[in-house]
Amino acid sequence: MATWNPWHGCTKISPGCYHCYVYRRDAEFGKDSSVVTKTSSFNLPIRKNREKEYKLQPDGDYVYTCFTSDFFHPAADEWRPEAWAMMKERSDLGFYFVTKRPERFYVGLPDDWGNGYENIHICCTCENQYQTNKRLPVFLNLPILHKSIIHEPMLESINLRPYLELYHNAIECVTCGGESGPDARVCDYAWVLNTMMQCVEYNVDFRFKQTGAMFQHSGRIYNIERKDQISQAAKANINFKATK
């Protein structure tokens, strides 16, 4: 799995940020995660070897982008146009990133964006109903060719029906996941099933990504180790592939 973090650091803006893994990891090294800095990997997509070939090659999956920050963070405004340009140049790679700031989408957007670049997939995070109702009306109306929703960390059950009904043809997938880390909040399996059933109802792909560290099932809370959270979610066997 290829990753590209052109900048690092972020600021917390909603309850889903409270136990951010970036802050947790940086704290171990005495770093301040709230300071956004350009990384040494900034130009990774266009780096070449001695044979003048791109070092970063397609591997059949996405290049997971800006997962230690938010691509639309205001501190990165001056760097974003160059990042867009690199993604355009590397049209042979698919770039995937997640945002909590869809309202800042147009800041630094390329003039030739149009309806979007074919090789870019953007996902919006909605951890609770308030953020769902705040972010999705903005996000789902943006000119993006490939867009998805992620309900992670799951903090409560959410109603996606108003958005699935209007935008089911534009939403490629809805992903659910619990929260990890020592202070993780509970993820209730009933919330996962509720989101899954909404996706089935509107024929939208659904994926249960991970249980999180504190997973509630049938009234009982299980403490699940990080290494087992993805495999335990897979055992639920509730992923749904829409029929198009």
Side-chain angles (χ1 to χ4, degrees):
M1 181 181 76
T3 61
W4 173 42
N5 292 308
W7 43 88
H8 176 89
C10 199
T11 47
K12 299 181 181 183
I13 59 171
S14 68
C17 304
Y18 289 175
H19 302 147
C20 177
Y21 66 92
V22 175
Y23 274 69
R24 189 168 66 247
R25 292 175 182 175
D26 282 354
E28 296 177 3
F29 299 97
K31 295 182 180 179
D32 184 355
S33 297
S34 66
V35 177
V36 180
T37 57
K38 192 176 182 180
T39 71
S40 60
S41 300
F42 179 77
N43 67 344
L44 176 63
I46 59 172
R47 288 180 185 172
K48 295 182 179 181
N49 58 26
R50 292 180 179 178
E51 287 71 39
K52 305 300 181 182
E53 299 170 330
Y54 289 118
K55 292 182 176 181
L56 188 60
Q57 290 295 320
D59 64 357
D61 200 358
Y62 291 109
V63 176
Y64 291 90
T65 301
C66 218
F67 271 65
T68 63
S69 185
D70 190 314
F71 190 76
F72 299 114
H73 195 287
D77 286 354
E78 64 178 302
W79 310 319
R80 196 175 305 108
E82 190 175 350
W84 283 128
M86 287 187 280
M87 288 187 277
K88 179 184 178 180
E89 178 177 335
R90 293 304 310 274
S91 60
D92 58 319
L93 296 175
F95 295 89
Y96 181 101
F97 56 88
V98 179
T99 185
K100 289 183 173 69
R101 295 171 171 85
E103 73 281 359
R104 305 199 75 258
F105 172 79
Y106 287 102
V107 180
L109 193 68
D111 292 337
D112 64 351
W113 177 263
N115 290 323
Y117 292 165
E118 178 63 41
N119 65 323
I120 294 178
H121 192 132
I122 303 177
C123 184
C124 184
T125 300
C126 303
E127 66 265 33
N128 56 27
Q129 192 67 52
Y130 178 83
Q131 296 300 335
T132 297
N133 296 339
K134 178 182 178 182
R135 294 173 184 153
L136 291 192
V138 176
F139 175 69
L140 293 173
N141 282 290
L142 294 174
I144 300 169
L145 288 177
H146 303 287
K147 61 182 70 169
S148 294
I149 298 168
I150 183 164
H151 183 189
E152 183 184 21
M154 302 184 79
L155 301 182
E156 64 182 13
S157 181
I158 63 174
N159 178 22
L160 287 171
R161 286 185 175 86
Y163 310 105
L164 295 175
E165 181 175 6
L166 288 174
Y167 301 99
H168 60 273
N169 290 326
I171 301 168
E172 296 192 7
C173 186
V174 175
T175 299
C176 282
E179 186 171 51
S180 296
D183 299 313
R185 289 159 287 187
V186 171
C187 172
D188 194 324
Y189 187 54
W191 305 342
V192 181
L193 290 177
N194 179 45
T195 299
M196 183 270 288
M197 291 306 298
Q198 293 178 62
C199 291
V200 171
E201 182 179 344
Y202 289 96
N203 195 38
V204 174
D205 283 9
F206 170 83
R207 179 188 173 213
F208 182 25
K209 177 185 172 185
Q210 62 165 334
T211 62
M214 300 292 288
F215 187 61
Q216 181 167 307
H217 191 302
S218 301
R220 181 177 175 183
I221 297 177
Y222 299 86
N223 192 334
I224 301 179
E225 293 186 23
R226 185 71 186 92
K227 64 181 180 64
D228 299 322
Q229 290 167 25
I230 293 176
S231 61
Q232 288 298 315
K235 288 180 181 179
N237 195 31
I238 59 170
N239 290 352
F240 172 73
K241 185 68 176 176
T243 56
K244 303 296 184 182

